Amino acid sequence: MTKPLTLAALKRLVAAGESETLELKRTTGELREAAQTLCGFLNQRGGVVVFGVAADGRIVGQEVNDGTLRDVAAAVRDIDPAPQVEVRRIEAGGGRGLIVLRAGAGSAAPYTYDGRPFIRGGSTTRRMKREEYERL
């Protein structure tokens, strides 16, 4: 993986908004959707999922404890085959943190999450069509 993101670098990345390689989530309450997107990133060029960002792009952070990180790790383990994903906590201030998941393009496509393949198109994640899956 590349060098770790700093809070300043993350702020610049988030300011650009969601894209084919960036997904922003307010909390890990959206973990299932984030794991689907991560799977889509792995099936293409790779990308970054950031938890702790409001819909308007403000970095708000969230409470991050050991249970939160275990839940994130479990969601990553539900991606098959096992991907290489960097999971990192970045302090956002006020006792709140950001969770950053970063993955390069997978080498064993197609990847599936919860038994289904996903793909990223623009700033949208969708289930991969059967024809696309079979081609990969």
Side-chain angles (χ1 to χ4, degrees):
M1 289 278 152
T2 58
K3 68 181 182 174
L5 287 171
T6 63
L7 181 57
L10 197 55
K11 285 180 179 180
R12 287 190 300 274
L13 184 66
V14 166
E18 288 190 341
S19 68
E20 193 168 312
T21 58
L22 178 65
E23 178 78 4
L24 305 173
K25 297 293 185 192
R26 184 169 185 99
T27 71
T28 50
E30 300 175 276
L31 187 54
R32 181 174 184 78
E33 295 86 358
Q36 291 171 353
T37 296
L38 191 61
C39 178
F41 287 158
L42 288 159
N43 283 326
Q44 292 180 283
R45 301 182 324 170
V48 177
V49 176
V50 182
F51 293 99
V53 181
D56 63 6
R58 285 179 302 116
I59 292 181
V60 295
Q62 74 166 64
E63 183 178 320
V64 179
N65 56 39
D66 288 342
T68 308
L69 295 174
R70 277 194 301 274
D71 291 345
V72 169
V76 171
R77 280 194 306 273
D78 283 342
I79 297 174
D80 187 47
Q84 292 222 342
V85 176
E86 176 188 358
V87 179
R88 191 149 181 261
R89 182 189 191 279
I90 296 176
E91 183 61 41
R96 299 175 70 80
L98 300 165
I99 299 175
V100 180
L101 308 178
R102 187 162 51 173
S107 59
Y111 286 82
T112 62
Y113 170 70
D114 200 22
R116 294 183 303 270
F118 293 88
I119 196 161
R120 184 76 169 184
S123 61
T124 304
T125 301
R126 65 172 174 81
R127 276 186 71 179
M128 187 183 292
K129 294 179 180 173
R130 179 180 305 277
E131 300 80 35
E132 292 172 289
Y133 180 79
E134 290 172 357
R135 181 178 44 80
L136 291 175

